[in-house]
PDB file of all heavy atoms in Angstrom:
ATOM      1  N   LYS A 480      65.387 -82.986 132.493  1.00 97.00           N
ATOM      2  CA  LYS A 480      65.078 -81.602 132.904  1.00 97.00           C
ATOM      3  C   LYS A 480      64.591 -80.749 131.721  1.00 97.00           C
ATOM      4  O   LYS A 480      63.777 -81.212 130.909  1.00 97.00           O
ATOM      5  CB  LYS A 480      66.298 -80.995 133.605  1.00 97.00           C
ATOM      6  CG  LYS A 480      66.713 -81.789 134.856  1.00 97.00           C
ATOM      7  CD  LYS A 480      67.599 -80.996 135.785  1.00 97.00           C
ATOM      8  CE  LYS A 480      69.057 -81.055 135.396  1.00 97.00           C
ATOM      9  NZ  LYS A 480      69.942 -80.362 136.337  1.00 97.00           N
ATOM     10  N   GLU A 481      65.121 -79.527 131.596  1.00 97.00           N
ATOM     11  CA  GLU A 481      64.591 -78.631 130.551  1.00 97.00           C
ATOM     12  C   GLU A 481      65.222 -78.869 129.176  1.00 97.00           C
ATOM     13  O   GLU A 481      65.117 -78.040 128.282  1.00 97.00           O
ATOM     14  CB  GLU A 481      64.745 -77.165 130.982  1.00 97.00           C
ATOM     15  CG  GLU A 481      63.823 -76.835 132.134  1.00 97.00           C
ATOM     16  CD  GLU A 481      63.898 -75.391 132.600  1.00 97.00           C
ATOM     17  OE1 GLU A 481      64.252 -74.503 131.785  1.00 97.00           O
ATOM     18  OE2 GLU A 481      63.622 -75.128 133.777  1.00 97.00           O
ATOM     19  N   SER A 482      65.908 -79.992 129.026  1.00 97.00           N
ATOM     20  CA  SER A 482      66.491 -80.304 127.713  1.00 97.00           C
ATOM     21  C   SER A 482      65.538 -81.071 126.807  1.00 97.00           C
ATOM     22  O   SER A 482      65.882 -81.348 125.662  1.00 97.00           O
ATOM     23  CB  SER A 482      67.797 -81.080 127.882  1.00 97.00           C
ATOM     24  OG  SER A 482      68.811 -80.217 128.353  1.00 97.00           O
ATOM     25  N   GLY A 483      64.367 -81.406 127.310  1.00 97.00           N
ATOM     26  CA  GLY A 483      63.426 -81.995 126.362  1.00 97.00           C
ATOM     27  C   GLY A 483      62.476 -83.028 126.920  1.00 97.00           C
ATOM     28  O   GLY A 483      62.495 -83.357 128.108  1.00 97.00           O
ATOM     29  N   ILE A 484      61.672 -83.530 125.997  1.00 98.00           N
ATOM     30  CA  ILE A 484      60.659 -84.546 126.315  1.00 98.00           C
ATOM     31  C   ILE A 484      60.706 -85.590 125.209  1.00 98.00           C
ATOM     32  O   ILE A 484      60.649 -85.252 124.033  1.00 98.00           O
ATOM     33  CB  ILE A 484      59.260 -83.907 126.360  1.00 98.00           C
ATOM     34  CG1 ILE A 484      59.192 -82.862 127.487  1.00 98.00           C
ATOM     35  CG2 ILE A 484      58.185 -84.979 126.546  1.00 98.00           C
ATOM     36  CD1 ILE A 484      57.892 -82.097 127.526  1.00 98.00           C
ATOM     37  N   GLY A 485      60.835 -86.847 125.586  1.00 98.00           N
ATOM     38  CA  GLY A 485      60.891 -87.924 124.591  1.00 98.00           C
ATOM     39  C   GLY A 485      62.324 -88.201 124.171  1.00 98.00           C
ATOM     40  O   GLY A 485      63.255 -87.493 124.563  1.00 98.00           O
ATOM     41  N   ARG A 486      62.501 -89.242 123.416  1.00 98.00           N
ATOM     42  CA  ARG A 486      63.832 -89.626 122.949  1.00 98.00           C
ATOM     43  C   ARG A 486      63.836 -89.785 121.440  1.00 98.00           C
ATOM     44  O   ARG A 486      62.856 -90.229 120.844  1.00 98.00           O
ATOM     45  CB  ARG A 486      64.269 -90.960 123.575  1.00 98.00           C
ATOM     46  CG  ARG A 486      64.549 -90.870 125.068  1.00 98.00           C
ATOM     47  CD  ARG A 486      65.786 -90.014 125.358  1.00 98.00           C
ATOM     48  NE  ARG A 486      66.028 -89.832 126.789  1.00 98.00           N
ATOM     49  CZ  ARG A 486      65.522 -88.847 127.533  1.00 98.00           C
ATOM     50  NH1 ARG A 486      64.719 -87.944 126.989  1.00 98.00           N
ATOM     51  NH2 ARG A 486      65.816 -88.752 128.812  1.00 98.00           N
ATOM     52  N   GLU A 487      64.976 -89.423 120.849  1.00 98.00           N
ATOM     53  CA  GLU A 487      65.173 -89.688 119.436  1.00 98.00           C
ATOM     54  C   GLU A 487      66.144 -90.848 119.325  1.00 98.00           C
ATOM     55  O   GLU A 487      66.858 -91.180 120.265  1.00 98.00           O
ATOM     56  CB  GLU A 487      65.745 -88.451 118.743  1.00 98.00           C
ATOM     57  CG  GLU A 487      64.814 -87.273 118.909  1.00 98.00           C
ATOM     58  CD  GLU A 487      64.955 -86.260 117.805  1.00 98.00           C
ATOM     59  OE1 GLU A 487      64.295 -86.417 116.758  1.00 98.00           O
ATOM     60  OE2 GLU A 487      65.723 -85.310 117.980  1.00 98.00           O
ATOM     61  N   LEU A 488      66.197 -91.439 118.139  1.00 98.00           N
ATOM     62  CA  LEU A 488      67.125 -92.530 117.823  1.00 98.00           C
ATOM     63  C   LEU A 488      66.807 -93.802 118.633  1.00 98.00           C
ATOM     64  O   LEU A 488      66.024 -93.779 119.574  1.00 98.00           O
ATOM     65  CB  LEU A 488      68.590 -92.106 118.041  1.00 98.00           C
ATOM     66  CG  LEU A 488      69.051 -90.882 117.232  1.00 98.00           C
ATOM     67  CD1 LEU A 488      70.520 -90.590 117.507  1.00 98.00           C
ATOM     68  CD2 LEU A 488      68.825 -91.051 115.736  1.00 98.00           C
TER      69      LEU A 488
END
Side-chain angles (χ1 to χ4, degrees):
K480 300 198 275 184
E481 291 181 27
S482 287
I484 297 175
R486 291 292 176 271
E487 301 206 86
L488 302 182

